[in-house]
Amino acid sequence: MFSSLVLFIFSDTLLAQPNPELLTSIIEEYVSDTSPGMAVLATKNGEVVYEYAQGLSDFSSGEKLSTDQVFRIGSVTKQFTAVAIMKLAEEGKLQLDDNISMYIGEEQTAPDISIRQLLQHTSGLGNQQDLAEFRMDDIKEVPEEMLAHILGSTLKFPAGSGYSYSNLGYVLLGHIIEEASSKSYENYLRDEFFGPLKMSDTGFEYITEFSSNMAKGHSPDGKIFKYAEPFNMEVPFAAGGMVS
């Protein structure tokens, strides 16, 4: 799937003497003005020194991409999940070496995994595609049913004995944030981060209406592009559900 992208450039070499023409030429090598687009932001010492959008936000209508559009940010969501866990740890509402069973209801049996192991991708949990019984169309209560799928999955290895990048682990961290904070995951991030930091264009498309300013996702269809298949972003949840 091709999606309009947000790209952050942090290069001391490129930005020692900001050269907009050089940056623009690099972008235009990869993205034409008639293909799904790319928005680029370059900063130096916390100051924006360059921003540029190239290509289309909507291939079908020909709408041009702009630098203020909202994108799905995928696994960048995990950074917010991790810092939320660390904040709750600072506040004494959880400890990183707590067993996850402390945050799982009595009706569920949790594997022997710590919060720290979820954060570090050493839990042995995998990804949605590793769940043989998982079917998007079967999920009615997200993330509640996802929790049951995760807790019932087979670990790839005993927790702490290996490393495997895990979306499921970060979905589970979102649930732990809810239990420790007594708030929904989305409300906790809004109250503790988005609001205080004035991040008014960051959140969750299934909670807040961003559609009027959302860049469209696209998939190739021969020599043209079509809209990407719809995907319920409640499924990736705390592992990849955010937009910004």
Side-chain angles (χ1 to χ4, degrees), residues 96-100 111-119 123 159:
L96 297 185
D97 292 315
D98 284 346
N99 192 288
I100 63 171
D112 186 16
I113 296 170
S114 71
I115 294 174
R116 188 187 302 275
Q117 289 164 340
L118 293 179
L119 286 170
S123 68

Side-chain angles (χ1 to χ4, degrees), residues 31-51:
V31 182
S32 77
D33 58 5
T34 59
S35 68
M38 175 186 292
V40 178
L41 173 72
T43 69
K44 183 178 181 181
N45 299 326
E47 298 294 327
V48 175
V49 296
Y50 176 83
E51 57 181 307

Side-chain angles (χ1 to χ4, degrees), residues 144-159:
E144 288 80 4
E145 285 192 43
M146 277 300 303
L147 179 63
H149 281 289
I150 294 167
L151 296 176
S153 64
T154 301
L155 298 183
K156 292 184 171 183
F157 47 79

